[in-house]
Amino acid sequence: MSKDFSFEITHKLEGTHARAGVIHTPHGDIQTPVFIVGGTKATVKALTVEQVKSIGGQAVLANTYHLMLRPGADIVEQAGGLGKFMNWDGPTFTDSGGFQVFSLGVAYKKGIDAVTNSERGQKENAKSSNTQLAKVDEEGVTFRSHIDGTKMRMTPESSMQLQWQIGADVHMAFDECASPLANEGYIRASVARTHAWAIRCKQEHEKIWAEHHAKGKPYQSLWGVVQGARIEDLRRESARFMASQDFDGFGIGGIFEPAEIPETLRWVVEELPEDKPRHLLGMGSQVEDLFLGVEYGMDTFDCIAFTRQARNGGLYTADGRLNIRNAIFKRDFGPIDSNCDCYTCQNYTRAYINHLFRSDEML
RNA sequence: GCAGGGUUAGUGAAGCGGUCAAACACGGCAGACUGUAAAUCUGUUGGCUCAGCCUUCGGGGGUUCGAAUCCCUCACCCUGCA
């Protein structure tokens, strides 16, 4: 069964783990390293697919959990798959829904900061959170829909089935993203569970692939997700384990403080095979983290931070970040970034964007 | 002309004798944003030489230990009746 999916490395940077390459998918090539654009609910918020393309977006990552709730994976399948559904003809990724186990579980109503070591996080963490929408057991996860409270169940097998229905080119294995504040015993048990789930994902994936192949449908790849928090032997063990399972690529999961990224990635990259792509899941809220990730051998990245920041007035320029809502931009009739040739910088002023944000205008 | 009601910080609006520099909302000023429960959330918002002090509740004058709150008066705005 030939798999219409491969990865080739075209360049390496001496003295680092950085490399450039190409991921070949049934929906076209992805030049790496690259940021995969967040399209959680089968839309890149506030952008048309043409706009995503015009700024260099090569691939879009959607979310299994969100699409399962709305509109339903079966509807996406009937529409002809994720790309067809959202009019994106390029490569697509789906996250497994594993992260929502975390964000609807221990991080529920606290935000991710609350489960990191940041000062603000510790303060937030002290707030009581007496309800969680997700509970983990060895077999899988029981959720309550954040939309209407319906009790639902997700397992490695069901995540695979849903992802095949949604039909992205890259699927993530169903994992548990443990809180970095959990005790070591919990984290070790969680990584063991993630490994057991990875085997089940792989088995289910092969089974579905055989069915699809028989019908002449294209391959959809499966990437294993490395966990292990900040514990070196666990991270290395997890990476070795995932490397042994014949996945098409790897996701690196977890929640990091920026300062912890280099060392953690180094542990993982030293254990992973060179010839397969590596995706950093939720790479951080700073643009600089992207460059750090490249240096430490990551090929693809995703993060919702930048689209969210943009929606809330946080804009990046060659000179750094600015908050376009600030009063100093009220009468600034220059472009956001004078060295940028994008549509917005070419046609609109800071004063106008400032006005749109202050007016809650959607443009 | 007569009779009622009203005038509170940038705006709207509570307060009706002390715990009032004055609730709340909006507006303003900033901040946050990690595999998106986020077009969301947080802080702050009279002044100052800032654990205290000063000036504010339409203007002026009273009562009281104490007034945004009670009384008199002036101004303006509404609503009825002539």
Side-chain angles (χ1 to χ4, degrees), chain A residues 273-306:
Chain A
E274 261 219 302
D275 61 352
K276 287 183 178 174
R278 307 155 181 161
H279 179 92
L280 183 56
L281 289 154
M283 50 159 275
S285 59
Q286 306 296 315
V287 155
E288 291 77 7
D289 300 339
L290 184 82
F291 297 94
L292 217 51
V294 171
E295 184 179 344
Y296 285 89
M298 298 297 110
D299 303 301
T300 58
F301 306 82
D302 75 271
C303 194
I304 59 88
F306 311 110

Short mmCIF file of all heavy atoms in Angstrom, two decimals, chain A residues 273-306:
data_model
loop_
_atom_site.label_atom_id
_atom_site.label_comp_id
_atom_site.label_asym_id
_atom_site.label_seq_id
_atom_site.Cartn_x
_atom_site.Cartn_y
_atom_site.Cartn_z
N PRO A 273 14.24 10.03 15.04
CA PRO A 273 14.95 9.83 13.77
C PRO A 273 15.00 11.13 12.99
O PRO A 273 14.09 11.95 13.07
CB PRO A 273 14.08 8.79 13.05
CG PRO A 273 12.72 8.94 13.64
CD PRO A 273 12.94 9.33 15.08
N GLU A 274 16.06 11.32 12.25
CA GLU A 274 16.24 12.57 11.50
C GLU A 274 15.30 12.70 10.33
O GLU A 274 14.94 13.80 9.93
CB GLU A 274 17.68 12.63 10.99
CG GLU A 274 18.60 13.47 11.85
CD GLU A 274 19.56 14.27 11.00
OE1 GLU A 274 20.30 13.63 10.23
OE2 GLU A 274 19.56 15.51 11.10
N ASP A 275 14.92 11.54 9.75
CA ASP A 275 14.27 11.59 8.44
C ASP A 275 12.75 11.74 8.49
O ASP A 275 12.07 11.54 7.50
CB ASP A 275 14.64 10.34 7.64
CG ASP A 275 14.18 9.06 8.34
OD1 ASP A 275 13.71 9.17 9.51
OD2 ASP A 275 14.26 7.99 7.74
N LYS A 276 12.22 12.10 9.66
CA LYS A 276 10.78 12.31 9.74
C LYS A 276 10.48 13.70 10.30
O LYS A 276 11.24 14.21 11.12
CB LYS A 276 10.14 11.23 10.62
CG LYS A 276 10.10 9.89 9.91
CD LYS A 276 9.41 8.83 10.73
CE LYS A 276 9.36 7.52 9.93
NZ LYS A 276 8.82 6.41 10.74
N PRO A 277 9.36 14.29 9.86
CA PRO A 277 9.06 15.66 10.28
C PRO A 277 8.63 15.73 11.74
O PRO A 277 8.07 14.79 12.28
CB PRO A 277 7.91 16.06 9.35
CG PRO A 277 7.27 14.79 8.94
CD PRO A 277 8.37 13.77 8.89
N ARG A 278 8.91 16.90 12.33
CA ARG A 278 8.61 17.12 13.75
C ARG A 278 7.78 18.39 13.88
O ARG A 278 8.15 19.44 13.37
CB ARG A 278 9.91 17.29 14.53
CG ARG A 278 10.89 16.17 14.32
CD ARG A 278 12.29 16.68 14.58
NE ARG A 278 13.30 15.64 14.37
CZ ARG A 278 14.58 15.92 14.17
NH1 ARG A 278 15.01 17.17 14.16
NH2 ARG A 278 15.44 14.94 13.98
N HIS A 279 6.69 18.27 14.60
CA HIS A 279 5.76 19.40 14.76
C HIS A 279 5.70 19.80 16.23
O HIS A 279 5.42 18.99 17.09
CB HIS A 279 4.37 19.00 14.27
CG HIS A 279 3.34 20.08 14.42
ND1 HIS A 279 3.07 20.97 13.41
CD2 HIS A 279 2.55 20.44 15.45
CE1 HIS A 279 2.13 21.82 13.82
NE2 HIS A 279 1.80 21.52 15.06
N LEU A 280 5.97 21.08 16.49
CA LEU A 280 5.86 21.58 17.86
C LEU A 280 4.42 22.06 18.08
O LEU A 280 3.97 23.01 17.44
CB LEU A 280 6.86 22.71 18.10
CG LEU A 280 6.90 23.28 19.53
CD1 LEU A 280 7.17 22.19 20.56
CD2 LEU A 280 7.96 24.38 19.64
N LEU A 281 3.73 21.37 18.97
CA LEU A 281 2.31 21.65 19.21
C LEU A 281 2.15 22.82 20.18
O LEU A 281 2.58 22.73 21.34
CB LEU A 281 1.63 20.41 19.77
CG LEU A 281 1.43 19.25 18.79
CD1 LEU A 281 1.37 17.92 19.53
CD2 LEU A 281 0.18 19.46 17.95
N GLY A 282 1.56 23.90 19.73
CA GLY A 282 1.35 25.04 20.62
C GLY A 282 2.67 25.61 21.08
O GLY A 282 3.09 25.44 22.20
N MET A 283 3.33 26.29 20.16
CA MET A 283 4.74 26.61 20.35
C MET A 283 5.04 27.73 21.32
O MET A 283 6.19 27.99 21.62
CB MET A 283 5.33 27.00 19.00
CG MET A 283 4.48 28.04 18.31
SD MET A 283 5.33 28.96 17.06
CE MET A 283 6.10 30.23 18.06
N GLY A 284 4.02 28.41 21.82
CA GLY A 284 4.31 29.49 22.76
C GLY A 284 3.70 30.78 22.27
O GLY A 284 3.19 30.86 21.16
N SER A 285 3.75 31.79 23.11
CA SER A 285 3.05 33.02 22.78
C SER A 285 4.01 34.10 22.29
O SER A 285 3.62 35.23 22.07
CB SER A 285 2.30 33.53 24.00
OG SER A 285 3.20 33.75 25.06
N GLN A 286 5.27 33.75 22.11
CA GLN A 286 6.23 34.73 21.63
C GLN A 286 6.72 34.30 20.24
O GLN A 286 7.03 33.12 20.03
CB GLN A 286 7.45 34.80 22.56
CG GLN A 286 7.11 35.06 24.01
CD GLN A 286 6.48 36.42 24.20
OE1 GLN A 286 6.95 37.41 23.66
NE2 GLN A 286 5.39 36.47 24.96
N VAL A 287 6.83 35.25 19.34
CA VAL A 287 7.32 34.95 18.00
C VAL A 287 8.73 34.35 18.05
O VAL A 287 9.09 33.46 17.29
CB VAL A 287 7.31 36.23 17.13
CG1 VAL A 287 8.32 36.15 16.02
CG2 VAL A 287 5.92 36.42 16.55
N GLU A 288 9.53 34.81 19.00
CA GLU A 288 10.90 34.34 19.12
C GLU A 288 10.96 32.82 19.32
O GLU A 288 11.92 32.16 18.90
CB GLU A 288 11.60 35.01 20.31
CG GLU A 288 11.88 36.49 20.11
CD GLU A 288 10.64 37.37 20.29
OE1 GLU A 288 9.58 36.84 20.70
OE2 GLU A 288 10.73 38.58 20.01
N ASP A 289 9.92 32.25 19.94
CA ASP A 289 9.91 30.81 20.18
C ASP A 289 9.97 30.03 18.88
O ASP A 289 10.46 28.91 18.84
CB ASP A 289 8.64 30.42 20.97
CG ASP A 289 8.57 31.11 22.33
OD1 ASP A 289 9.64 31.56 22.81
OD2 ASP A 289 7.47 31.21 22.88
N LEU A 290 9.45 30.61 17.83
CA LEU A 290 9.47 29.96 16.52
C LEU A 290 10.91 29.74 16.06
O LEU A 290 11.28 28.66 15.60
CB LEU A 290 8.72 30.83 15.50
CG LEU A 290 8.55 30.27 14.10
CD1 LEU A 290 7.38 29.32 14.05
CD2 LEU A 290 8.34 31.40 13.11
N PHE A 291 11.73 30.77 16.19
CA PHE A 291 13.13 30.67 15.76
C PHE A 291 13.89 29.69 16.63
O PHE A 291 14.73 28.92 16.16
CB PHE A 291 13.77 32.06 15.79
CG PHE A 291 13.13 33.01 14.82
CD1 PHE A 291 12.10 33.86 15.23
CD2 PHE A 291 13.52 33.01 13.48
CE1 PHE A 291 11.49 34.70 14.32
CE2 PHE A 291 12.92 33.86 12.57
CZ PHE A 291 11.89 34.71 12.99
N LEU A 292 13.54 29.70 17.92
CA LEU A 292 14.14 28.76 18.85
C LEU A 292 13.80 27.33 18.44
O LEU A 292 14.65 26.44 18.42
CB LEU A 292 13.58 29.05 20.25
CG LEU A 292 14.49 28.92 21.45
CD1 LEU A 292 15.78 29.69 21.23
CD2 LEU A 292 13.76 29.44 22.68
N GLY A 293 12.54 27.13 18.07
CA GLY A 293 12.09 25.81 17.64
C GLY A 293 12.83 25.34 16.40
O GLY A 293 13.24 24.17 16.30
N VAL A 294 13.03 26.24 15.46
CA VAL A 294 13.76 25.88 14.23
C VAL A 294 15.18 25.46 14.58
O VAL A 294 15.68 24.44 14.12
CB VAL A 294 13.77 27.07 13.24
CG1 VAL A 294 14.72 26.77 12.08
CG2 VAL A 294 12.36 27.35 12.74
N GLU A 295 15.81 26.25 15.46
CA GLU A 295 17.19 25.95 15.85
C GLU A 295 17.30 24.56 16.47
O GLU A 295 18.29 23.86 16.29
CB GLU A 295 17.67 27.03 16.83
CG GLU A 295 19.13 26.87 17.23
CD GLU A 295 19.59 27.96 18.19
OE1 GLU A 295 18.88 28.99 18.32
OE2 GLU A 295 20.65 27.77 18.82
N TYR A 296 16.25 24.18 17.21
CA TYR A 296 16.28 22.88 17.87
C TYR A 296 15.57 21.79 17.08
O TYR A 296 15.07 20.83 17.66
CB TYR A 296 15.77 23.00 19.31
CG TYR A 296 16.82 23.65 20.17
CD1 TYR A 296 16.88 25.04 20.30
CD2 TYR A 296 17.80 22.89 20.80
CE1 TYR A 296 17.88 25.65 21.03
CE2 TYR A 296 18.81 23.48 21.54
CZ TYR A 296 18.85 24.85 21.65
OH TYR A 296 19.85 25.44 22.38
N GLY A 297 15.51 21.94 15.76
CA GLY A 297 15.14 20.82 14.91
C GLY A 297 13.67 20.63 14.63
O GLY A 297 13.26 19.59 14.13
N MET A 298 12.84 21.65 14.91
CA MET A 298 11.42 21.52 14.60
C MET A 298 11.19 21.91 13.13
O MET A 298 11.87 22.79 12.60
CB MET A 298 10.57 22.43 15.49
CG MET A 298 10.67 22.09 16.98
SD MET A 298 10.05 20.45 17.37
CE MET A 298 11.56 19.60 17.77
N ASP A 299 10.22 21.26 12.49
CA ASP A 299 9.92 21.55 11.09
C ASP A 299 8.61 22.32 10.93
O ASP A 299 8.50 23.18 10.05
CB ASP A 299 9.82 20.23 10.31
CG ASP A 299 11.10 19.43 10.42
OD1 ASP A 299 12.16 19.94 10.03
OD2 ASP A 299 11.05 18.29 10.95
N THR A 300 7.64 21.99 11.74
CA THR A 300 6.37 22.71 11.65
C THR A 300 5.92 23.10 13.06
O THR A 300 6.36 22.51 14.05
CB THR A 300 5.27 21.85 10.97
OG1 THR A 300 5.10 20.65 11.71
CG2 THR A 300 5.64 21.53 9.53
N PHE A 301 5.05 24.10 13.11
CA PHE A 301 4.60 24.69 14.37
C PHE A 301 3.15 25.08 14.22
O PHE A 301 2.69 25.37 13.13
CB PHE A 301 5.35 26.00 14.64
CG PHE A 301 6.84 25.87 14.62
CD1 PHE A 301 7.52 25.90 13.41
CD2 PHE A 301 7.54 25.73 15.79
CE1 PHE A 301 8.90 25.76 13.37
CE2 PHE A 301 8.92 25.60 15.77
CZ PHE A 301 9.60 25.61 14.56
N ASP A 302 2.46 25.14 15.33
CA ASP A 302 1.17 25.80 15.28
C ASP A 302 0.98 26.49 16.60
O ASP A 302 1.61 26.14 17.60
CB ASP A 302 0.03 24.81 15.03
CG ASP A 302 -0.29 24.01 16.27
OD1 ASP A 302 0.32 22.94 16.45
OD2 ASP A 302 -1.12 24.46 17.08
N CYS A 303 0.15 27.49 16.60
CA CYS A 303 -0.17 28.19 17.82
C CYS A 303 -1.31 29.14 17.52
O CYS A 303 -1.34 29.75 16.46
CB CYS A 303 1.02 28.99 18.35
SG CYS A 303 0.76 29.53 20.03
N ILE A 304 -2.24 29.25 18.44
CA ILE A 304 -3.36 30.14 18.23
C ILE A 304 -3.04 31.54 18.71
O ILE A 304 -3.81 32.47 18.50
CB ILE A 304 -4.62 29.63 18.93
CG1 ILE A 304 -4.42 29.47 20.43
CG2 ILE A 304 -5.07 28.31 18.31
CD1 ILE A 304 -4.72 30.71 21.22
N ALA A 305 -1.90 31.69 19.38
CA ALA A 305 -1.60 32.96 20.03
C ALA A 305 -1.64 34.14 19.06
O ALA A 305 -2.18 35.19 19.38
CB ALA A 305 -0.23 32.89 20.70
N PHE A 306 -1.08 33.94 17.87
CA PHE A 306 -0.89 35.10 17.00
C PHE A 306 -2.18 35.57 16.35
O PHE A 306 -2.39 36.77 16.18
CB PHE A 306 0.21 34.78 15.98
CG PHE A 306 1.41 34.20 16.68
CD1 PHE A 306 1.76 32.87 16.52
CD2 PHE A 306 2.12 34.98 17.58
CE1 PHE A 306 2.82 32.33 17.24
CE2 PHE A 306 3.19 34.45 18.29
CZ PHE A 306 3.54 33.12 18.12
#
